[in-house]
Amino acid sequence: MTSVWRTSGWVLLGASLILALSLGIRHGFGLFLTPMSSEFGWGREVFAFAIALQNLIWGLAQPVTGAIADRFGARRVIAVGGLLYAAGLLLMGYADSAASLSLSAGLLIGIGLSGTSFSVLLGVVGRAVSVEKRSMAMGIAAAAGSFGQFAMLPGSLGLIGWLGWSAALLALGLLVALIVPLALLVRDQPLPSLGAEQSLGEALREACGHSGFWLLALGFFVCGFQVVFIGVHLPAYLVDQHLPATVGTTVLALVGLFNVFGTYIAGWLGGRLSKPRLLTALYLARTVVIVAFFYTPLSAWSAYAFGIAMGLLWLSTVPLTNGTVATLFGVRNLSMLGGIVFLFHQLGAFLGGWLGGYLYDHTGSYDLVWQISIALGLLAAALNWPVREQPVARLQAAGGVA
């Protein structure tokens, strides 16, 4: 085993464990909607807004944390993100008003996630492995985040039943603090300069002048809308349809379990087929799954089937989208550029999370949001189709090195 492989192997392990903790705990926030809203007499919009704000702050902070990681290494960014994430969970456990919930679940956890999630961690992985293994390695790391969702959802539900929602959040805060020592595994250094190094401003101007960059970003907006609406509101939606609360938890756990396979397969296929074409196929498949779920009679078994199908498509977009950005612009500024694309994902996440609660409180139904999700899925498929997976002229002149 070579020294390079040992280093990249430890990086991949560390990134995978951090993503499993960070995303696994984050995907369970929907389980706290009902107990917190019931105890304080809130409508669903209060909790939904806090989670929507979390996604917005996460997205706004992501290009900044990504740029810092690209220039100075990711280890400190991950450690600080882990501390803020843990602090946000601890304060969320004591939240008793809309303002304190938005401060803890929204602001602190949002910033914490920007340092402990995909853009920073996949940027590290992208720099640690060879070009031909990049898509696969990103798929493995993304799959680890999905396994965290599968493992943590039942655990979070068990903690709520055993300790109550407040103490459960305190316990999760202690668990997420493990990200800080795990950051030691992520040995990441900025790439050495090869000739005239591209400045941040030049990298931004190059990306912003490329149509494929914007098409990827707008398509990712749809991904954020769909996954956060479903992740936050699906358990409550199923209860509204007179199914037991355990069905919603099981569905989200199935999403996490089958997304392990979906993201791995997407990463494997991304190294062999056109990633933009795969993205088009994924968004079309999501649309078909949502249509089938929404317009056919609902039962526990149809909900489980929805969880399995959506799981295969859930975060499969992540290694394909980040891999396309790396192909187009190289990996030197990947965390920053991936962070900008991810900002659009989080703008969609904000809208999906908040709009679900807003429309429910004003109409008594989630029907309109499901219909919006279907229309947006078709739009995302159309947006990704024309993206050409070809490095920019600067990389072609440099022989593909960046």
Side-chain angles (χ1 to χ4, degrees), residues 237-238 241 243 288-303 305-306 374:
Y237 172 76
L238 294 176
Q241 304 302 311
L243 293 175
V288 171
V289 170
I290 294 173
V291 167
F293 174 71
F294 180 66
Y295 285 107
T296 58
L298 182 63
S299 68
W301 289 108
S302 70
F306 175 74
I374 292 167

Side-chain angles (χ1 to χ4, degrees), residues 16 29 58 99 108 136 139-140 144 146 173 184 199 206 225 265 276 284-285 301 321 339-340 365 382:
S16 297
F29 286 151
W58 180 4
L108 288 177
M136 173 67 78
I140 292 172
S146 302
L184 296 174
S199 68
E206 180 181 67
F225 184 98
I265 293 169
L284 284 175
W301 289 108
T321 301
I340 295 172
S365 170

Side-chain angles (χ1 to χ4, degrees), residues 202-220:
E202 290 169 342
L204 284 172
R205 284 192 293 273
E206 180 181 67
C208 291
H210 195 290
S211 62
F213 184 75
W214 295 112
L215 292 171
L216 287 168
L218 292 171
F220 222 24

Side-chain angles (χ1 to χ4, degrees), residues 56-323:
L56 181 61
I57 295 297
W58 180 4
L60 291 171
Q62 193 67 80
V64 178
T65 55
I68 295 171
D70 285 332
R71 285 299 183 268
F72 304 107
R75 183 178 291 175
R76 293 177 183 174
V77 171
I78 295 167
V80 172
L83 287 173
L84 291 174
Y85 194 166
L89 284 166
L90 295 175
L91 291 176
M92 186 179 172
Y94 292 106
D96 58 2
S97 67
S100 59
L101 184 63
S102 293
L103 173 64
S104 57
L107 181 64
L108 288 177
I109 294 179
I111 297 174
L113 281 165
S114 74
T116 59
S117 56
F118 285 126
S119 295
V120 170
L121 273 302
L122 293 189
V124 174
V125 171
R127 286 186 287 270
V129 301
S130 60
V131 173
E132 61 272 13
K133 295 180 179 178
R134 185 181 296 153
S135 182
M136 173 67 78
M138 288 182 173
I140 292 172
S146 302
F147 180 78
Q149 179 182 348
F150 167 70
M152 289 305 304
L153 274 166
S156 296
L157 184 64
L159 285 172
I160 293 171
W162 177 37
L163 302 172
W165 66 263
S166 179
L169 286 167
L170 302 183
L172 292 174
L174 296 176
L175 186 60
V176 87
L178 294 173
I179 288 175
V180 178
L182 285 173
L184 296 174
L185 292 174
V186 184
R187 299 180 59 186
D188 180 50
Q189 296 295 330
L191 292 179
S193 176
L194 299 174
E197 184 176 347
Q198 192 181 37
S199 68
L200 288 177
E202 290 169 342
L204 284 172
R205 284 192 293 273
E206 180 181 67
C208 291
H210 195 290
S211 62
F213 184 75
W214 295 112
L215 292 171
L216 287 168
L218 292 171
F220 222 24
F221 173 95
V222 175
C223 180
F225 184 98
Q226 292 175 332
V227 300
V228 171
F229 165 64
I230 293 170
V232 173
H233 295 283
L234 182 66
Y237 172 76
L238 294 176
V239 170
D240 291 342
Q241 304 302 311
H242 311 294
L243 293 175
T246 53
V247 173
T249 305
T250 303
V251 171
L252 291 184
L254 287 170
V255 168
L257 175 61
F258 282 86
N259 193 35
V260 174
F261 305 105
T263 49
Y264 178 83
I265 293 169
W268 181 79
L269 289 174
R272 292 160 174 78
L273 302 174
S274 166
K275 287 184 278 292
R277 296 291 190 270
L278 289 170
L279 285 167
T280 294
L282 281 171
Y283 285 116
L284 284 175
R286 269 196 198 177
T287 303
V288 171
V289 170
I290 294 173
V291 167
F293 174 71
F294 180 66
Y295 285 107
T296 58
L298 182 63
S299 68
W301 289 108
S302 70
Y304 297 151
F306 175 74
I308 292 170
M310 282 301 296
L312 292 171
L313 308 167
W314 190 252
L315 295 180
S316 302
T317 58
V318 174
L320 297 175
T321 301
N322 281 274

